[in-house]
Amino acid sequence: MFNRNRSLRQLAMIASISLVTGCGIFSSGSSGGKGPIVVGTTSSPSTLDPAAAWDSSWELFRNVYQTLLNYPDGATEPGPDAAQSCSFTDNTNRTYRCVLRDGLTFSNGDELDARAVKYSIDRIKRINVSGGPAGLLGSLERVQVKGDREVLFHLNEADATFPFVLATPAMSIVDPADYPATELRKDGKITGSGPYTLDSYEEGKQARLAGNSHYKGYAKRKNDAVTIRYFQDSASMVNALKSGKIDITYRGLAASDIVSLQSGGNDKSIQLVENSGIEISYLVFNPKDPWAGKLAVRKAVAQIVDRDAIAHNVYKDTVEPLYSMVPAGLTGHTTGFFDHFGDPSTAKARKILSEAGINQRVPLTLWYTTDRYGSETAPEFREIKRQLDGSGLFQVTLKSRPWKTYVAGYQKGEYPVFGRGWFPDFPDPDNYIAPFVGNQNALGTPYPAPEITGVLLPQSRRESDRGNVVKQFQEAQQVLVDDARLLPLWQGKQFLAASEEISGGERALDPSTIMMVWELSRKTSW
């Protein structure tokens, strides 16, 4: 149904380092008798309600909620989960039909039927949280229920990416009895139908998950319970791994810790797995700011920023410089910013500003979050400040906030320039363009871009064969280069560090690099 370009690679593991002879992370085993597997990450949820989250809260959601579609058995195309089957009913990609599995229930025993699916999707659009997942449903006109198990999604335009949207944790199915129709749930609890239930949750500290006996879907749990612990920095997380307080790390490993683990460090019982990644980091310019709103200022910044220095000096070459919002490895990727601006040049930047009548040092305030994208974020922004200040053309002030207040700030338009990272909703070039443009987008910063939203994206979404959308996405990327409102910095990789006794790390990441903790287990023999 969806013949995706095979260069749109599956996120397969490309390397592993086994530091204990005969004890690879790829061997099989059961959960053993040592209690729940403990996963460490520096990325904690911003909310427990799917209607509010278009961020890495999805890492928890994937494991406790259920979606109609998911990515079974390492697939890069959506397959059934809560659904028994799904497909477009027409050749125009405008009506999408799903039939649910028989006998679905939520973790509390309540029935999960077609009406619950419609309620969950309609609720996202009705609540319409600023910067929330309603932005993913721009092509959805209405949801129709036929009987207890059949759901029809009527789209207002052709959208071959709609199945991928339904596979995102944003489209988690919630119990209508526990989730208000017009506001977010506020009791700090979760009622889902995923492989796990949320036994307890301490914000910013940990989430305790237990196997959900009511679950019916494709996932096969290889453990009975998982605890996810949230850390403020990589160092404390790695120390917890080495001391046996956690079993495996996920997001947020610092470059220095990765380099140490790659070399073996002082601990031969830790294994590192390197995974090809399509995470990106970028700067966002606020068009309403008196300085960041000037095209010449944005282009001058683009002309000065040295991505190689950021990748090498800050990230120790654990990331790659990125010159487009669409990362390498995806259909239509270009190097537009390098093609247009070339190597970093203060002289060229000075000329850009001078031709716009700007002959003073430009004051810019750059914002970043302290607890979302890993320990290198602050050093990265210090490096950007060093580069811009060093040109003599800018005078940069750095400011930062924790994620929760940081999000509120950029959604209110408080920041002239701010940093964001992006872990894809699904591995398609559409998902690196569409979320950032339009009056409602993931950044909470309107970006009309009518050529992209009105012409190029609609054209691309008529194509089920995603290999046929190269032209549209190359043109869309050029629009972003010309506007310079989004400035790509680097493309990351994913690294998992695990205790020698943990199996399943090679299977635990879905195509959006979200951890499926049900794949993890403990080895029982050596």
Side-chain angles (χ1 to χ4, degrees), residues 178-214:
D178 290 340
Y179 290 78
T182 59
E183 62 182 14
L184 299 177
R185 183 173 181 174
K186 299 175 181 177
D187 63 1
K189 298 180 180 180
I190 283 176
T191 310
S193 58
Y196 297 88
T197 60
L198 182 66
D199 262 11
S200 66
Y201 179 70
E202 298 176 74
E203 184 174 348
K205 294 182 178 179
Q206 67 178 13
R208 293 183 180 271
L209 312 184
N212 177 14
S213 60
H214 293 275

Side-chain angles (χ1 to χ4, degrees), residues 123-195:
R123 179 174 179 267
I124 294 169
K125 297 190 73 172
R126 187 181 299 115
I127 295 176
N128 194 21
V129 171
S130 176
L136 287 167
L137 294 171
S139 65
L140 179 62
E141 183 175 292
R142 63 187 177 93
V143 185
Q144 179 186 0
V145 168
K146 297 181 72 173
D148 290 336
R149 296 175 55 204
E150 184 176 353
V151 186
L152 289 172
F153 298 92
H154 299 280
L155 309 182
N156 53 36
E157 60 183 358
D159 189 358
T161 71
F162 190 72
F164 297 96
V165 172
L166 289 181
T168 67
M171 303 301 128
S172 296
I173 305 167
V174 300
D175 188 346
D178 290 340
Y179 290 78
T182 59
E183 62 182 14
L184 299 177
R185 183 173 181 174
K186 299 175 181 177
D187 63 1
K189 298 180 180 180
I190 283 176
T191 310
S193 58

Side-chain angles (χ1 to χ4, degrees), residues 62 67 69-81 163-165 167-168 218 425-427 510-512 516 518:
R62 176 62 83 203
T67 46
L69 300 171
N70 210 317
Y71 295 95
D73 303 320
T76 56
E77 300 174 8
D81 189 5
F164 297 96
V165 172
T168 67
Y218 83 92
D425 306 323
F426 47 88
D510 76 4
S512 301
M516 304 173 291
W518 61 81

Side-chain angles (χ1 to χ4, degrees), residues 168-394:
T168 67
M171 303 301 128
S172 296
I173 305 167
V174 300
D175 188 346
D178 290 340
Y179 290 78
T182 59
E183 62 182 14
L184 299 177
R185 183 173 181 174
K186 299 175 181 177
D187 63 1
K189 298 180 180 180
I190 283 176
T191 310
S193 58
Y196 297 88
T197 60
L198 182 66
D199 262 11
S200 66
Y201 179 70
E202 298 176 74
E203 184 174 348
K205 294 182 178 179
Q206 67 178 13
R208 293 183 180 271
L209 312 184
N212 177 14
S213 60
H214 293 275
Y215 172 71
K216 288 186 177 182
Y218 83 92
K220 308 299 180 186
R221 280 196 321 275
K222 297 178 175 63
N223 59 68
D224 298 322
V226 172
T227 296
I228 304 173
R229 287 189 56 193
Y230 303 111
F231 291 84
Q232 294 298 311
D233 57 71
S234 174
S236 58
M237 184 168 66
V238 171
N239 286 338
L241 177 65
K242 290 180 177 180
S243 65
K245 294 178 181 177
I246 64 175
D247 298 302
I248 185 169
T249 66
Y250 179 32
R251 293 204 194 277
L253 282 173
S256 57
D257 289 320
I258 293 170
V259 171
S260 175
L261 291 167
Q262 283 174 331
S263 65
N266 298 318
D267 192 334
K268 303 301 181 182
S269 66
I270 305 299
Q271 302 179 61
L272 184 73
V273 175
E274 178 182 335
N275 179 55
S276 56
I278 48 178
E279 165 198 1
I280 68 170
S281 177
Y282 58 99
L283 295 179
V284 183
F285 292 84
N286 184 348
K288 294 184 178 180
D289 181 79
W291 286 108
K294 297 179 184 295
L295 178 60
V297 169
R298 301 195 298 269
K299 288 189 171 183
V301 172
Q303 185 64 73
I304 289 172
V305 167
D306 187 340
R307 296 166 177 82
D308 286 317
I310 294 170
H312 182 70
N313 297 338
V314 179
Y315 288 93
K316 313 300 180 188
D317 300 315
T318 60
V319 304
E320 297 289 338
L322 181 64
Y323 297 93
S324 166
M325 290 297 289
V326 176
L330 296 190
T331 301
H333 163 75
T334 70
T335 53
F337 275 90
F338 183 82
D339 299 340
H340 187 83
F341 294 100
D343 290 322
S345 170
T346 296
K348 290 180 180 179
R350 181 179 290 108
K351 182 179 179 183
I352 291 170
L353 292 173
S354 178
E355 289 178 349
I358 301 172
N359 297 302
Q360 66 180 93
R361 292 189 70 167
V362 176
L364 279 182
T365 301
L366 273 59
W367 283 82
Y368 63 92
T369 181
T370 57
D371 58 353
R372 174 60 50 166
Y373 302 122
S375 303
E376 272 79 22
T377 304
E380 175 183 4
F381 274 75
R382 289 196 293 269
E383 172 64 19
I384 295 172
K385 171 180 167 60
R386 184 192 67 78
Q387 294 175 11
L388 294 176
D389 285 352
S391 71
L393 303 176
F394 292 90

